[in-house]
Amino acid sequence: MTEVDFQGEAQDAEVADLLEVAHTIAEETRSFLTTVTEVGAGTGPDSSIPLLLLAVSDLLAAGARAGAIVDVVPPERFEPDVGPDPDVDPLRSALAEILQGIDEYAEVVDPLLGAEVTASTVSGDLVAVAGALLQGLRHYESGHELEALWWWQFSYLSSWGERASSVLRVLQVLLGHLRLDVDDDVAAEAEYEALQP
């Protein structure tokens, strides 16, 4: 086997690995978008926060995989046109209504550069993530898998990874408050009932 053959096999294996990562992110993107849309529609309001926590966690695991691999370089050096950006404002409004009263939170802008704090919203962050993911998914579904992976990797590192990480922490804290912040009498009664044979 010649040196060229070895190089060709190595390149084929590398492309196959990249396509596998793209496939995983596409699946997690669809799952995330489905969950966020269902929560925005008011489906199962009692389970909204746990469902969002799971969806964001799963998505971040896939995103971390994209962030950890070498820089993806698509075959073409330009982004193919996939049409106008989808309108995500209705989703933002729906989520803001569902999350009314718990939507806003404070976050540190860049914990490595200082302690500057800014205001953010869970609904805004979820929709920012959804918009970035949709752009990649449109490339993926039009047959440009490596372009999609390039977009997901770039936007993970530049925007949606940070937004998803921030909103994940807020969702976990929210869930903690919902489960643990109960009246002392209620907690004592639940503990008493749990200890009864």
Side-chain angles (χ1 to χ4, degrees):
M1 189 174 283
T2 66
E3 184 179 338
V4 175
D5 292 329
F6 281 123
Q7 288 176 346
E9 284 183 14
Q11 286 178 340
D12 290 346
E14 183 180 337
V15 169
D17 289 344
L18 293 175
L19 291 175
E20 181 187 337
V21 174
H23 179 70
T24 299
I25 296 176
E27 287 183 343
E28 290 301 335
T29 292
R30 290 184 189 107
S31 178
F32 174 82
L33 294 171
T34 297
T35 299
V36 171
T37 302
E38 288 177 356
V39 168
T43 305
D46 292 340
S47 59
S48 294
I49 301 302
L51 286 173
L52 289 173
L53 181 68
L54 287 169
V56 174
S57 296
D58 289 345
L59 180 65
L60 277 169
R65 193 168 170 203
I69 61 176
V70 298
D71 290 346
V72 177
V73 180
E76 289 104 19
R77 296 294 191 261
F78 63 92
E79 185 177 355
D81 184 13
V82 288
D85 292 341
D87 183 10
V88 292
D89 283 336
L91 179 59
R92 183 189 321 271
S93 299
L95 287 169
E97 187 172 327
I98 294 291
L99 299 168
Q100 190 172 11
I102 56 171
D103 195 22
E104 294 182 6
Y105 71 95
E107 72 167 323
V108 176
V109 175
D110 187 328
L112 294 177
L113 298 181
E116 179 187 351
V117 176
T118 188
S120 195
T121 63
V122 173
S123 60
D125 286 345
L126 289 171
V127 171
V129 171
L133 293 172
L134 273 169
Q135 181 72 2
L137 189 60
R138 293 164 75 202
H139 287 299
Y140 185 86
E141 291 178 341
S142 65
H144 302 284
E145 292 92 349
L146 289 180
E147 180 69 34
L149 184 56
W150 173 85
W151 174 255
W152 282 321
Q153 183 185 54
F154 168 76
S155 59
Y156 170 80
L157 295 171
S158 65
S159 63
W160 76 259
E162 182 182 356
R163 299 287 20 102
S165 296
S166 294
V167 83
L168 178 69
R169 180 160 190 254
V170 174
L171 290 167
Q172 190 277 326
V173 169
L174 273 171
L175 191 60
H177 283 301
L178 291 170
R179 298 274 172 84
L180 303 176
D181 293 354
V182 296
D183 184 82
D184 289 341
D185 292 338
V186 174
E189 185 177 326
E191 183 178 354
Y192 175 79
E193 288 178 8
L195 295 174
Q196 296 308 305

